[in-house]
Amino acid sequence: EDQVTQSPEALRLQEGESSSLNCSYTVSGLRGLFWYRQDPGKGPEFLFTLYSAGEEKEKERLKATLTKKESFLHITAPKPEDSATYLCAVQPYGGATNKLIFGTGTLLAVQP
Amino acid sequence: NAGVTQTPKFRVLKTGQSMTLLCAQDMNHEYMYWYRQDPGMGLRLIHYSVGEGTTAKGEVPDGYNVSRLKKQNFLLGLESAAPSQTSVYFCASRSQETQYFGPGTRLLVL
């Protein structure tokens, strides 16, 4: 069964304290892995798509990496405005519907 | 472009009442999706559409119906609301491989 597990469930950092969020997945075949940011009361906001092991993508203080079993979202020198829930989703091969399987997210709080 | 919009933003229903949630997108996307988000669970797909006039069931379709009469609109209906349908509902549309989400509708069924 296709599955996505994110850890930790919650993470509290001091401003400037770098860390990583983990997304482990089991899928019959990976078509793509997606990272989203979700602020309270809002819809998920697209961050990155990764397609193959070894691929990396960066945006400001965020860097996403991908292996055959997991993805990491590295946050370098975070600021309070980086506080949000970060969602990981995988798209398995098969079908033409672009179905996504989501993890439950990591709630990140960055304190000044 | 407004992107993906959803109406209403919040609604309270009594058990057995019906309602329709509207999703609209102005990006000319073919694929559209309805998800629900519950505490401790990932986003789960309810129904989706691969184009105007088409709909298909997702992971949790029971108790919901959908229609896609126009390309830009995707409607989600609850014929007889139940407390188990209390949730936050998100609509998304797809461009190439990426889904873009609306702001959500918070539904409380009493």
Side-chain angles (χ1 to χ4, degrees), chain B residues 27-98:
Chain B
M27 299 174 284
N28 202 36
H29 292 167
E30 292 290 342
Y31 288 39
M32 296 185 74
Y33 306 80
W34 275 108
Y35 291 88
R36 60 179 290 172
Q37 187 176 41
D38 301 293
M41 305 186 74
L43 284 152
R44 292 181 292 167
L45 183 64
I46 304 171
H47 285 280
Y48 63 95
S49 169
V50 301
E52 182 178 316
T54 73
T55 64
K57 294 180 180 180
E59 180 186 359
V60 288
D62 293 342
Y64 305 95
N65 56 75
V66 288
S67 64
R68 183 98 181 268
L69 299 180
K70 294 182 178 180
K71 186 177 183 179
Q72 63 268 34
N73 295 337
F74 195 26
L75 278 62
L76 178 70
L78 286 74
E79 290 186 348
S80 179
S84 61
Q85 294 177 304
T86 293
S87 188
V88 182
Y89 293 86
F90 289 102
C91 175
S93 69
R94 170 188 157 190
S95 172
Q96 298 182 341
E97 299 295 325
T98 302

